[in-house]
Amino acid sequence: MEKVQCNGTTICYVDQGQGEPIILLHGFCGSSAYWEQLLPHLPGYRLIVPDLRGHGRSDAPMGSYTIEQMADDVQLLMDELDIQKAVLLGHSLGGYITLSFAQRYASRLHGFGLIHSTGYPDSEEAKEKRVKAVSTIQGEGITSFVDNLVPGLFATDTEKLKPECIQRAKEIGYLTPPQGAIGAALAMRERPDRRDVLSASTLPILLVAGEKDALIPPERSFTTDHDNVTKVVIEGAGHMSMMEAPEKLGEAIVAYMKSLHAESE
């Protein structure tokens, strides 16, 4: 992996391929490795895949983070790589970061997308769960937390049909620094409602939902219905289509990318 300094924080990233840049942001307790099965299905593009602050090999400062701060990391990474414009696609937590980026740095985007993510803020119940997550990580450690978290990210059929996906997601999650998971959990807890970013944006938007996603079902992903919005449901997938159905997710992203060029012609 390569690395850059973003506001004093080291951000590690994968930079592979050539062509129009796509930046992929992973979810909570994930890393750039979440996308490893998807990348071969995106030929012909330059793929920038960072470990978010607090995750993977990137720095994990102590204290709470903000979604805005994590979006600023992405903007600084683009500056360091001399990327003026890109397509930004975020999974779950990465989607919350994507919305913050799109709200404040729209001029840096050709388009953006949410993959198993939403513009909704945390409900009061969800906020309580974030606090419990912090308590669990502090009291029992990251391994125990990840063991309980990961199975619920997948469709129930995945455990029978692709148990190796669940094991791989756990292995990735175990490498999350505890203070990084805590900082990101608190960032998600405090994020605002950004459904207005989706409804007001004139950029081409891709919304991907898993048919069997128990965390963020399609109706919570598909909150706007304008001509610039492409909606895709990945059949049989839960919250982790990049592992459960990477070829289907790849097809959706490639079709979206091709549509960007068609609109510009």
Side-chain angles (χ1 to χ4, degrees):
M1 298 188 78
E2 301 178 63
K3 58 186 179 181
V4 296
Q5 289 289 317
C6 297
N7 279 336
T9 298
T10 298
I11 299 296
C12 295
Y13 63 96
V14 172
D15 182 354
Q16 71 176 55
Q18 295 181 330
E20 187 173 350
I22 301 174
I23 302 172
L24 298 168
L25 306 181
H26 63 79
F28 180 55
C29 285
S31 76
S32 54
Y34 260 17
W35 305 102
E36 60 194 3
Q37 295 181 54
L38 174 70
L39 300 188
H41 298 283
L42 299 176
Y45 299 100
R46 181 183 179 187
L47 305 172
I48 312 296
V49 196
D51 288 351
L52 300 174
R53 87 164 42 215
H55 293 76
R57 298 184 184 181
S58 291
D59 282 353
M62 299 298 292
S64 60
Y65 308 159
T66 67
I67 296 299
E68 292 71 32
Q69 183 183 46
M70 299 172 89
D72 289 344
D73 290 341
V74 177
Q75 186 250 340
L76 291 168
L77 175 61
M78 290 178 66
D79 288 347
E80 288 290 332
L81 297 179
D82 197 26
I83 295 173
Q84 296 306 307
K85 280 195 172 187
V87 169
L88 184 60
L89 304 176
H91 167 242
S92 199
L93 162 62
Y96 310 148
I97 296 167
T98 295
L99 284 175
S100 174
F101 191 104
Q103 184 177 45
R104 295 179 298 128
Y105 304 117
S107 64
R108 303 294 299 272
L109 297 175
H110 290 299
F112 67 94
L114 307 186
I115 299 172
H116 311 302
S117 193
T118 181
Y120 279 100
D122 268 359
S123 65
E124 290 305 312
E125 179 185 3
K127 287 182 177 181
E128 289 181 14
K129 288 183 177 179
R130 303 291 188 199
V131 175
K132 289 180 181 178
V134 169
S135 178
T136 299
I137 295 165
Q138 290 173 331
E140 301 176 20
I142 195 69
T143 299
S144 176
F145 177 74
V146 167
D147 281 340
N148 286 310
L149 171 72
V150 166
L153 302 179
F154 291 85
T156 52
D157 292 343
T158 302
E159 192 164 5
K160 301 175 185 176
L161 301 175
K162 294 184 176 181
E164 68 279 3
C165 288
I166 295 176
Q167 183 57 36
R168 179 59 180 147
K170 286 182 178 181
E171 291 170 355
I172 294 167
Y174 295 154
L175 299 177
T176 308
Q179 71 270 23
I182 290 170
L186 295 174
M188 291 188 289
R189 186 179 189 274
E190 299 303 322
R191 76 184 189 279
D193 188 332
R194 285 201 167 97
R195 284 174 290 171
D196 60 323
V197 177
L198 291 166
S199 61
S201 178
T202 57
L203 290 166
I205 298 171
L206 174 65
L207 300 177
V208 177
E211 177 193 15
K212 299 182 178 180
D213 190 340
L215 273 71
I216 302 178
E219 61 268 22
R220 286 186 68 82
S221 293
F222 301 155
T223 59
T224 188
D225 193 21
H226 296 302
D227 291 343
N228 62 317
V229 178
T230 299
K231 302 176 184 178
V232 178
V233 176
I234 307 292
E235 293 183 4
H239 195 65
M240 299 287 285
S241 65
M242 70 287 297
M243 290 186 177
E244 294 172 284
E247 63 292 331
K248 291 181 181 178
L249 179 58
E251 289 172 3
I253 293 173
V254 169
Y256 165 75
M257 295 298 294
K258 288 180 178 178
S259 74
L260 298 187
H261 294 296
E263 290 176 8
S264 64
E265 290 176 357

